[in-house]
Amino acid sequence: MIRRLAVTGAAAAVAAAVVTTLAAALARAAGVDFDVPDGGESIPLPGFAVVTGFFSVLGIVIAGALLRWSARPARRFVATTVSLTAVSLVPPVLSGADAATVVTLIGLHLVAAAVVIPALARSLPQARVAGVRPWPSSMFSARIGPARSGEGGSKDGRAA
């Protein structure tokens, strides 16, 4: 289950980065300058891909944590990421950029969220079945010492 989440998340991250970068390129061609007064520079097109990729990976990490520790991973993931998306809309508004840049940045945040959130949410179970772990418990615990009788090795309980 974790492998499926990682593969789906990676594909969604790449798709979101491509879509947001293409949308930003179209907006720039239409006259949006992406000048942010605080930094004094224009946001470069590769910057959209990098930031989208970074926050998409953060979304994958959140999904993995909820898969591991939440009884309802999909519901919690959607609630968490929609809230974080809403919070991400505040910086463009406060940036002091012109209206076209602000509206476009908000749109790009929503486009990235519209690609990544549903893809990851579909990869998560609605509810965890009691006793079923999303990945083997051996991934998170290391056994130190000899194997116990009946756990592999030879018939007398010693490691092979």
Side-chain angles (χ1 to χ4, degrees):
M1 185 161 291
I2 192 72
R3 179 172 287 153
R4 176 179 165 213
L5 179 67
V7 169
T8 300
V14 168
V18 168
V19 169
T20 56
T21 304
L22 288 175
L26 288 172
R28 182 163 281 156
V32 178
D33 58 15
F34 295 113
D35 287 336
V36 180
D38 290 340
E41 294 183 21
S42 181
I43 301 170
L45 285 179
F48 291 100
V50 170
V51 172
T52 301
F54 174 80
F55 284 103
S56 296
V57 169
L58 182 60
I60 297 167
V61 170
I62 291 170
L66 292 171
L67 178 64
R68 175 74 171 109
W69 290 296
S70 176
R72 290 181 168 68
R75 173 181 272 178
R76 300 274 188 260
F77 177 77
V78 171
T80 301
T81 54
V82 167
S83 298
L84 291 172
T85 300
V87 170
S88 80
L89 302 179
V90 174
V93 173
L94 299 177
S95 69
D98 65 3
T101 298
V102 170
V103 169
T104 304
L105 289 173
I106 288 172
L108 292 173
H109 284 225
L110 296 175
V111 165
V115 172
V116 175
I117 294 172
L120 288 173
R122 280 191 301 268
S123 296
L124 294 168
Q126 292 299 316
R128 192 169 343 141
V129 179
V132 176
R133 295 181 180 197
W135 46 64
S137 61
S138 62
M139 286 180 65
F140 294 102
S141 63
R143 177 169 301 217
I144 300 175
R148 287 185 255 160
S149 178
E151 292 187 3
S154 65
K155 289 183 180 182
D156 63 1
R158 292 182 293 180

